[in-house]
Amino acid sequence: MCGRYALAWRAAQVRAYLENEHMPVYEAPNEEGDGAPRQSYNFAPGYHGIVYRADTPDWGAGPRHHKKGEGESEGQPAAEVEEGTAEPQEVRYKLQSMKWGLIPFWTKRNPDYGSMMKTINCRDDSLIENKGMWTTMKQKKRCIVLAQGFYEWLKKGKDKIPHFVKRKDGKLMCFAGLWDCVQYEGSDEKHYTYTVITTDSNKQLKFLHDRMPVILENGSEELRTWLDPNRSTWSKELQSLLKPFQGELEVYPVSKEVGKVGNNSPNFIIPVASSKNKSNIANFFAKGASKDTSKPGATAKTSKLDESGREGAQKETKETPIKAEDEDRKTVDHSGSEDNAPLPVPKEEAKQGIKRELDDVPVEESLKKAAKTSASPFKASSPPKPARKTRSATSNNTASPSKASGKVKGSQKITNFFGK
């Protein structure tokens, strides 16, 4: 965990919420344009999410002391390379739009999708020692990733049942995370990315998965310690913050439609069996039945209500799920130890080995194909069918049966009777 979560709030809503939770926001991202944060009930790796962090330079908190050449361009002024410790200044916090899937600052070229998928999570035990790719980030670039809740898939034989996990008090979840900024060779554009830190699951989630994101309490002293830019070295105190969540959580199964990247619906965070879930037809008929039985003469109106109920239910189910127009990636199951979520496949791979559907063929192209196949001289024509005479609508081309010479009783015309 965590491979999929939900955050359908706009940046302005998140900002107002955090300020109400005693988490000041000095700056927030634009809600439109390139790199704007995405609102989705099915938030997948590669999307731009909302990150809360201290307002520090791109190299992070504290002095800039890493060697040149590690993610730096030679054209940068030497004055930016500082030594020693600066005096503590007033800490400002901001919301920033970043892409999920951390890309380290020393990366020279845009990595492939598979490489990015390996850094959507960071295990807490990989941060204990001061070595490895996370060293600079954990010391200088710590952040909070905001979410309404996250998804986890419960394995039952060959089947996987998606579950949604959220705080019981309904508050936003504050995942502990790390961020970084990278600038590729030959480009002036800066790319901000992040990862979610995971730890052992608490007692509530052990049945579901053995890992869960580190969740810090909103507005708590622990959260401020985690974000403190004056702490630019890793310590046991910071490591101790990475522990299973102690508060109460709600866990329940949700629609399997959440397994496909690009599907998006508010019903994804509502329990499947809930009366509020519009995609559950059984709930719709249950409501109608309870109302009808409470009224006298309900049996006389049953057939009419059934017909209107079916039409209404069909309208409701058509609303779910809502498919995002710009996202149509396939997903693939995997047996990784960190997460059971179906992973999105890169668009290049998704195109291979997929049959072309009728809807994808333009109308003009299909008409041309039809004309070619009908006029092709190379196809063996079927043997001609034997000619068959047309049958008349008024005659069957047979002679009328010969009439009997003697008039049998009962065979005379009825007009003869009236002539007598």
Side-chain angles (χ1 to χ4, degrees):
M1 186 38 254
C2 163
R4 209 76 66 81
Y5 65 85
L7 183 63
W9 291 21
R10 293 181 290 106
Q13 292 175 302
V14 175
R15 181 175 191 169
Y17 171 85
L18 293 182
E19 289 176 342
N20 191 52
E21 292 287 314
H22 308 292
M23 297 168 66
V25 179
Y26 176 73
E27 182 184 336
N30 294 325
E31 296 181 357
E32 295 181 359
D34 294 338
R38 188 162 184 163
Q39 298 94 47
S40 178
Y41 293 97
N42 190 10
F43 203 93
Y47 288 2
H48 280 79
I50 297 179
V51 169
Y52 183 67
R53 70 176 181 94
D55 189 10
T56 60
D58 291 339
W59 66 79
R64 185 178 192 177
H65 57 75
H66 60 261
K67 296 178 182 178
K68 276 196 172 185
E70 294 180 344
E72 300 179 32
S73 61
E74 295 181 358
Q76 289 176 329
E80 288 185 0
V81 182
E82 301 174 6
E83 298 294 340
T85 55
E87 294 182 2
Q89 298 179 352
E90 180 188 358
V91 181
R92 289 179 173 179
Y93 300 94
K94 68 177 183 179
L95 291 174
Q96 187 173 355
S97 176
M98 296 188 187
K99 191 174 183 178
W100 188 13
L102 190 140
I103 303 172
F105 64 88
W106 61 80
T107 307
K108 295 182 179 180
R109 289 177 293 276
N110 190 7
D112 57 35
Y113 191 81
S115 300
M116 189 193 70
M117 287 298 298
K118 294 177 182 177
T119 56
I120 62 172
N121 291 154
C122 167
R123 292 178 62 98
D124 60 335
D125 50 16
S126 68
L127 303 178
I128 296 174
E129 298 182 7
N130 279 327
K131 63 180 183 179
M133 68 169 288
W134 306 113
T135 303
T136 302
M137 295 75 151
K138 72 179 184 180
Q139 292 175 345
K140 298 172 169 291
K141 303 173 183 178
R142 299 181 297 274
C143 66
I144 293 296
V145 181
L146 296 156
Q148 291 171 260
F150 62 91
Y151 298 98
E152 189 53 76
W153 276 254
L154 177 65
K155 289 185 178 180
K156 281 194 174 182
K158 293 183 179 180
D159 197 15
K160 287 185 177 182
I161 303 172
H163 284 64
F164 187 65
V165 184
K166 69 174 185 177
R167 292 181 56 130
K168 196 169 185 178
D169 56 14
K171 293 183 177 181
L172 285 182
M173 284 184 167
C174 293
F175 300 154
L178 304 174
W179 66 274
D180 209 343
C181 176
V182 64
Q183 195 170 339
Y184 304 130
E185 282 185 344
S187 174
D188 295 331
E189 186 179 0
K190 295 180 179 180
H191 302 270
Y192 295 88
T193 58
Y194 67 93
T195 187
V196 175
I197 300 176
T198 64
T199 186
D200 294 331
S201 288
N202 61 12
K203 292 181 180 179
Q204 284 184 271
L205 299 183
K206 283 290 185 185
F207 81 98
L208 190 59
H209 202 276
D210 58 351
R211 306 287 295 177
M212 69 176 294
V214 174
I215 304 171
L216 300 177
E217 192 62 50
N218 297 2
S220 64
E221 189 62 35
E222 290 181 338
L223 187 143
R224 281 190 285 272
T225 299
W226 177 254
L227 295 178
D228 188 1
N230 296 316
R231 300 172 187 265
S232 57
T233 56
W234 193 246
S235 64
K236 291 183 178 179
E237 184 182 7
L238 290 171
Q239 184 72 44
S240 67
L241 300 177
L242 308 179
K243 57 188 178 183
F245 185 61
Q246 302 299 315
E248 290 190 77
L249 299 171
E250 277 191 52
V251 189
Y252 47 81
V254 292
S255 170
K256 288 187 177 182
E257 294 293 329
V258 74
K260 178 173 172 55
V261 175
N263 286 350
N264 186 26
S265 170
N267 289 335
F268 289 171
I269 63 173
I270 301 175
V272 172
S274 172
S275 58
K276 296 179 181 179
N277 197 326
K278 294 181 179 181
S279 63
N280 193 335
I281 300 178
N283 293 332
F284 183 88
F285 288 115
K287 281 184 180 179
S290 61
K291 289 180 181 179
D292 293 343
T293 52
S294 62
K295 294 179 181 179
T299 53
K301 300 179 180 179
T302 303
S303 59
K304 290 183 179 180
L305 289 173
D306 284 347
E307 290 177 6
S308 61
R310 289 191 188 95
E311 293 176 1
Q314 288 174 357
K315 289 180 182 178
E316 296 288 354
T317 52
K318 284 179 182 177
E319 295 176 3
T320 305
I322 304 167
K323 190 170 183 180
E325 295 179 359
D326 58 342
E327 182 62 69
D328 194 22
R329 285 180 288 176
K330 304 291 181 182
T331 53
V332 60
D333 288 339
H334 68 106
S335 55
S337 59
E338 188 66 18
D339 177 41
N340 289 334
L343 296 180
V345 178
K347 292 182 178 180
E348 290 77 7
E349 295 180 16
K351 288 180 181 178
Q352 297 177 1
I354 299 174
K355 289 185 178 180
R356 198 175 187 187
E357 300 293 341
L358 183 61
D359 294 341
D360 296 335
V361 183
V363 177
E364 294 180 2
E365 187 179 339
S366 61
L367 289 174
K368 287 179 182 178
K369 285 188 177 180
K372 285 182 181 180
T373 52
S374 61
S376 176
F378 299 101
K379 281 197 173 182
S381 58
S382 56
K385 294 182 180 179
R388 192 169 62 179
K389 294 181 179 180
T390 56
R391 185 174 292 181
S392 172
T394 57
S395 173
N396 58 6
N397 296 327
T398 56
S400 58
S402 57
K403 295 183 180 179
S405 56
K407 291 185 179 180
V408 184
K409 187 178 181 181
S411 63
Q412 298 179 9
K413 292 183 180 180
I414 194 169
T415 52
N416 294 338
F417 177 81
F418 294 104
K420 291 180 180 180

